[in-house]
Amino acid sequence: NAGVTQTPKFRVLKTGQSMTLLCAQDMNHEYMYWYRQDPGMGLRLIHYSVGEGTTAKGEVPDGYNVSRLKKQNFLLGLESAAPSQTSVYFCASSPTGITEAFFGQGTRLTVV
Amino acid sequence: GQQVMQIPQYQHVQEGEDFTTYCNSSTTLSNIQWYKQRPGGHPVFLIQLVKSGEVKKQKRLTFQFGEAKKNSSLHITATQTTDVGTYFCADMEYGNKLVFGAGTILRVKS
């Protein structure tokens, strides 16, 4: 049972490039989340989804888009990367909204 | 939206000393979850508190939820080097949006 898997684990982008981060969970969870973690800022919610085909904005959605076409996958897109998007990105999933969340291992993204 | 404020931001203790981190909100929290993140790792769920005044224990860790459900605390008795990491509280806003506090970084000197 793999749990929550994030791809890739590391990436360096040039300013203006685009990329997609993939989050896959094999636990049949309804809820999925994307966070970014910066020093001293904790985990800030970018976007989340409460089920297949649904997405919603979190605290810091600007510059990111998401899609949840399949229940097990939650994709985070950066259309035109900026240095301010240099961060560690975590994906998480949970069965419902009031149960524990399971996190992936994180993706370290550097935008130069 | 509602914010959960977590204090202190950082604490460095001698091994064997106690440690407490606090999570506060200006509005009523629906429930509080606590997570631990080891250096270089990902957050791992510790516990969830739901009821007003609830107290739960996990070995040397004691979790409390305030009577008014506006604050919560995590207390570690006699810290060990294995307790090192960042402790986060998180609130489930509106039943579907898991929002985290900024975290408390714990360092333990042996």
Side-chain angles (χ1 to χ4, degrees):
Chain A
N1 191 336
V4 180
T5 304
Q6 290 184 232
T7 310
K9 291 186 170 45
F10 303 92
R11 184 74 185 269
V12 178
L13 282 180
K14 292 184 179 179
T15 297
Q17 286 185 318
S18 63
M19 80 164 292
T20 300
L21 280 67
L22 171 64
C23 178
Q25 52 95 2
D26 61 3
M27 297 173 283
N28 201 34
H29 287 173
E30 291 292 337
Y31 288 64
M32 296 187 75
Y33 309 89
W34 274 108
Y35 295 91
R36 60 176 290 173
Q37 185 172 31
D38 305 291
M41 305 289 287
L43 292 156
R44 291 184 291 169
L45 182 64
I46 305 172
H47 286 281
Y48 64 102
S49 168
V50 299
E52 180 180 312
T54 74
T55 62
K57 293 181 180 179
E59 303 166 282
V60 289
D62 294 343
Y64 304 95
N65 57 75
V66 287
S67 65
R68 183 105 182 261
L69 299 179
K70 292 183 178 181
K71 186 177 184 178
Q72 63 267 34
N73 297 334
F74 196 28
L75 279 64
L76 178 70
L78 285 73
E79 290 184 348
S80 179
S84 60
Q85 294 177 304
T86 293
S87 188
V88 178
Y89 291 84
F90 285 101
C91 175
S93 72
S94 63
T96 69
I98 53 171
T99 51
E100 69 175 281
F102 296 82
F103 280 79
Q105 298 296 321
T107 296
R108 184 172 294 277
L109 174 66
T110 302
V111 183
V112 297
Chain B
Q2 162 173 284
Q3 280 189 318
V4 285
M5 309 301 294
Q6 201 170 344
I7 55 171
Q9 183 177 359
Y10 180 87
Q11 189 150 10
H12 194 170
V13 302
Q14 189 74 34
E15 188 174 21
E17 291 182 340
D18 292 355
F19 160 78
T20 305
T21 174
Y22 301 90
C23 190
N24 300 306
S25 173
S26 58
T27 57
T28 303
L29 300 164
S30 54
N31 64 61
I32 274 286
Q33 298 181 1
W34 286 93
Y35 291 77
K36 176 183 179 181
Q37 183 180 25
R38 295 182 186 277
H42 61 278
V44 174
F45 176 83
L46 293 175
I47 209 159
Q48 176 170 269
L49 304 172
V50 178
K51 299 177 182 176
S52 167
E54 190 169 15
V55 178
K56 289 188 177 180
K57 293 191 176 184
Q58 289 180 351
K59 297 183 180 178
R60 295 178 294 104
L61 278 61
T62 301
F63 304 84
Q64 293 189 328
F65 203 3
E67 292 290 343
K69 297 185 75 173
K70 290 186 176 182
N71 56 76
S72 181
S73 64
L74 158 59
H75 180 82
I76 302 178
T77 303
T79 55
Q80 299 175 358
T81 55
T82 53
D83 295 323
V84 162
T86 303
Y87 292 85
F88 293 98
C89 62
D91 176 48
M92 181 57 72
E93 290 186 8
Y94 314 117
N96 58 19
K97 190 174 166 183
L98 190 59
V99 177
F100 283 75
T104 295
I105 299 171
L106 173 64
R107 293 289 177 257
V108 179
K109 187 164 55 176
S110 59

